[in-house]
Amino acid sequence: MNKNLIFDKSYVDGLWVSEGDLYFDVFNPSNNKKIARVFDGGSKIAKKAVDAANNAFSSWSNKTAKFRSEILEKWCELIIENSDDLAEIMTLECGKPIKESKGEVLYGASFIKWFAEEGKRIYGDIIPSNSVDKRIVVLKQPIGVVAAITPWNFPLAMITRKVAPALAAGCTVVIRPSEETPLVATAILHLAEVAGFPPGVINLVLGKDPSPIGKVFCESNLVKKISFTGSTEVGKILFSQSASSLKKLSLELGGNAPFIVFEDADIDKAVEGAINSKFRNSGQTCVCVNRILIHDDIYNQFSLKLCNEVSKLKVGDGFDKDVKIGPMINKKAISKTNSFVEDSIKKGGEILTGGNPIGDCFFEPTVIGGASNEMKFSKEEIFGPVVPLYKFSSDEEAVKMANDTIYGLASYFYSKNISRCWKVAEELEYGMVGINEGLISSEVAPFGGVKFSGQGREGSKYGIEDYIEIKYMCFGNIK
Ligand code: SIN
């Protein structure tokens, strides 16, 4: 691993900085050993970073889209060149199996490439006028300083998915990465510096406690937009704290993804899709399957095949190339996952495979049969390698069960019937629907949810719109 990529400080106005002598430690979740100690920037550095981004905004937003695009392209190239090292840093601090970490680095780079291109296509409009002596023009301009608050489960890609469209549109940014995974963030900021972003255009604030930093972002009138990925609970706090500054927010929050297997589904493909979606990052993604709903007629067949495959998934340190299920991020995550299993057993569920923590760091991939509506995971996001199986007997019942949640991020179903595919896809109250597909994330597609899963879309041609203001110009007295 190239240790020269890692820094222990925040990055503000083109410099690696610290304030005072507060530190926090970063741990390897595979063995709970300390891997780094970094300076805690807290609210003081957050304020400086916001000022730096604000000062840099005028110059950056006045550059041509082509100029900005070339620096973004360079940043993307550097990330790809350093992808092996970045993947190792990621596995070290968030535990993700090394192959998945490499996949995330490339996934993260794909957003930079995509938005480097999209930034050149932020076209305005000329609107046919309502009067012969007037001309109406719509101009699209960058929104201003953007704060990106990002999670530990995708410590690189969630930064680039927010920051790349912002920078491409002409905004300047301040990033607050999770306290669990600051190292990969410092590594890509270093590469951003090498790529040639001018001082102040991209800033990073490290801190143990997210609250004071988040509060600075929310309450600042200089920050025009916050993009956050994390829990619904924290999303609501950011939303209410931003009321005084009337800030725009993109929120990518929790999920409770249903995975429906109809009686005409290709069972082998459905098992494969369920495993891909459920056990990605050891069940710690917000688009992970939370509930599998299976038609009565195929329940036994599907559950046998699923358990057979799940029991083969190797658990362990993400650096072991055969490992498919890495550690959970911390002990709290293990006890939360365990509480879902215990709750379901008390309420009549049956462990079909797995069911237990392994030491302090891991949890067995687990399938629970006979799930019912009273069980905790019917309403709450599991965020661990546990999946409950429910039965249904009609399309109406399946859709009703799938929609019976406050969340609306990802949903999935398997069927060979094209009419059913259209109807069910239209009826699911979710921002994303995987139809005969368990992996739906991509830089070309709009990622985001409805209901308590948030607002706004990331990636795709829509992803840049969240960073743009529309200005209407009326030219009068044209003779
Ligand atoms: C997330 O879990 O927050 C993001 C997952 C993805 O981009 O696929």
Side-chain angles (χ1 to χ4, degrees):
M1 182 190 315
N2 178 3
K3 294 215 169 107
N4 295 331
L5 290 175
I6 302 173
F7 290 78
D8 65 353
K9 296 187 175 67
S10 298
Y11 183 74
V12 176
D13 213 8
L15 297 170
W16 293 98
V17 297
S18 60
E19 177 89 47
D21 52 6
L22 278 184
Y23 293 89
F24 64 99
D25 294 329
V26 185
F27 297 93
N28 176 349
S30 281
N31 53 26
N32 291 330
K33 288 202 178 121
K34 187 167 103 182
I35 50 174
R37 162 163 283 201
V38 297
F39 279 96
D40 191 333
S43 59
K44 278 195 182 156
I45 294 283
K47 282 183 192 143
K48 289 190 176 169
V50 169
D51 286 341
N54 187 50
N55 293 337
F57 176 69
S58 163
S59 157
W60 182 248
S61 58
N62 280 307
K63 296 279 189 283
T64 63
K66 182 165 184 277
F67 178 91
R68 294 193 291 261
S69 166
E70 280 166 3
I71 301 181
L72 282 160
E73 292 272 5
K74 181 76 198 150
W75 190 28
C76 175
E77 276 164 30
L78 287 167
I79 288 178
I80 292 171
E81 263 169 40
N82 289 276
S83 55
D84 288 334
D85 287 315
L86 292 169
E88 286 179 15
I89 299 168
M90 193 182 294
T91 294
L92 191 65
E93 68 178 348
C94 89
K96 194 172 279 203
I98 191 73
K99 203 167 150 224
E100 279 193 51
S101 293
K102 182 75 188 272
E104 185 188 333
V105 175
L106 301 180
Y107 177 48
S110 75
F111 290 107
I112 305 180
K113 174 89 183 144
W114 174 267
F115 287 111
E117 291 159 355
E118 282 298 294
K120 291 182 278 187
R121 298 177 185 67
I122 305 176
Y123 301 125
D125 279 314
I126 298 174
I127 297 178
S129 177
N130 61 338
S131 165
V132 288
D133 64 347
K134 284 186 188 155
R135 302 290 182 272
I136 296 177
V137 175
V138 172
L139 196 63
K140 294 193 177 166
Q141 294 184 304
I143 195 165
V145 174
V146 170
I149 306 178
T150 58
W152 52 263
N153 64 338
F154 285 83
L156 189 151
M158 294 307 100
I159 292 181
T160 57
R161 189 155 81 183
K162 297 174 188 321
V163 158
L167 294 169
C171 302
T172 53
V173 299
V174 181
I175 305 155
R176 192 273 169 187
S178 166
E179 66 280 10
E180 312 273 5
T181 54
L183 303 182
V184 84
T186 66
I188 61 167
L189 262 282
H190 166 64
L191 297 176
E193 185 178 32
V194 177
F197 286 101
V201 168
I202 175 163
N203 305 275
L204 179 77
V205 183
L206 305 183
K208 168 100 184 126
D209 183 356
S211 311
I213 300 173
K215 204 153 182 278
V216 168
F217 296 161
C218 290
E219 290 176 357
S220 167
N221 285 327
L222 300 179
V223 175
K224 300 296 185 223
K225 175 176 176 90
I226 293 179
S227 180
F228 168 70
T229 295
S231 69
T232 297
E233 193 191 343
V234 174
K236 285 183 183 177
I237 295 173
L238 296 173
F239 200 94
S240 70
Q241 282 181 348
S242 296
S244 64
S245 61
L246 276 184
K247 212 177 299 306
K248 294 204 173 175
L249 288 131
S250 290
L251 301 171
E252 200 259 274
L253 309 176
N256 180 353
F259 186 102
I260 311 171
V261 191
F262 288 100
E263 69 279 16
D264 64 340
D266 179 324
I267 306 265
D268 291 334
K269 291 222 165 71
V271 166
E272 191 190 329
I275 290 181
N276 285 343
S277 171
K278 175 69 238 181
F279 296 103
R280 183 169 167 234
N281 198 17
S282 311
Q284 302 172 109
T285 89
C286 44
V287 287
C288 274
V289 170
N290 211 60
R291 301 168 285 152
I292 303 186
L293 320 179
I294 311 158
H295 192 277
D296 274 333
D297 293 353
I298 51 156
Y299 183 89
N300 290 342
Q301 199 189 350
F302 179 87
S303 63
L304 271 174
K305 285 196 174 186
L306 180 75
C307 291
N308 187 32
E309 292 306 316
V310 170
S311 60
K312 291 185 203 156
L313 300 172
K314 186 173 174 190
V315 183
D317 189 317
F319 281 103
D320 174 340
K321 290 202 168 40
D322 297 326
V323 157
K324 294 280 184 310
I325 308 286
M328 309 223 49
I329 191 66
N330 52 34
K331 285 188 188 162
K332 207 168 135 207
I334 295 194
S335 59
K336 186 175 163 226
T337 302
N338 203 26
S339 76
F340 281 103
V341 177
E342 286 174 349
D343 169 80
S344 67
I345 303 310
K346 265 192 236 139
K347 294 172 181 164
E350 184 193 355
I351 297 178
L352 302 180
T353 184
N356 297 297
I358 310 173
D360 274 353
C361 303
F362 302 93
F363 203 95
E364 289 176 329
T366 299
V367 180
I368 309 277
S372 67
N373 206 26
E374 295 72 52
M375 296 175 187
K376 234 160 61 122
F377 35 53
S378 301
K379 300 278 174 272
E380 292 176 35
E381 186 174 36
I382 301 169
F383 229 68
V386 171
V387 69
L389 308 184
Y390 298 74
K391 282 185 187 174
F392 69 86
S393 51
S394 70
D395 289 22
E396 293 69 32
E397 191 188 7
V399 170
K400 193 163 175 260
M401 285 165 77
N403 287 340
D404 185 17
T405 166
I406 57 167
Y407 295 108
L409 190 60
S411 56
Y412 309 86
F413 69 89
Y414 276 64
S415 165
K416 287 188 201 136
N417 178 327
I418 191 76
S419 300
R420 171 184 270 160
C421 286
W422 270 104
K423 276 199 70 67
V424 172
E426 284 166 2
E427 284 165 7
L428 286 171
E429 294 161 2
Y430 288 84
M432 297 176 280
V433 187
I435 303 147
N436 297 317
E437 180 55 63
L439 292 174
I440 54 174
S441 307
S442 154
E443 80 280 17
V444 306
F447 190 105
V450 297
K451 296 159 78 176
F452 279 70
S453 291
Q455 57 188 29
R457 292 294 178 270
E458 298 192 297
S460 80
K461 68 171 183 173
Y462 305 103
I464 207 156
E465 286 170 9
D466 281 5
Y467 300 94
I468 286 166
E469 284 288 12
I470 286 177
K471 184 177 282 173
Y472 151 47
M473 300 189 299
C474 180
F475 290 79
N477 286 299
I478 309 262
K479 299 261 165 28

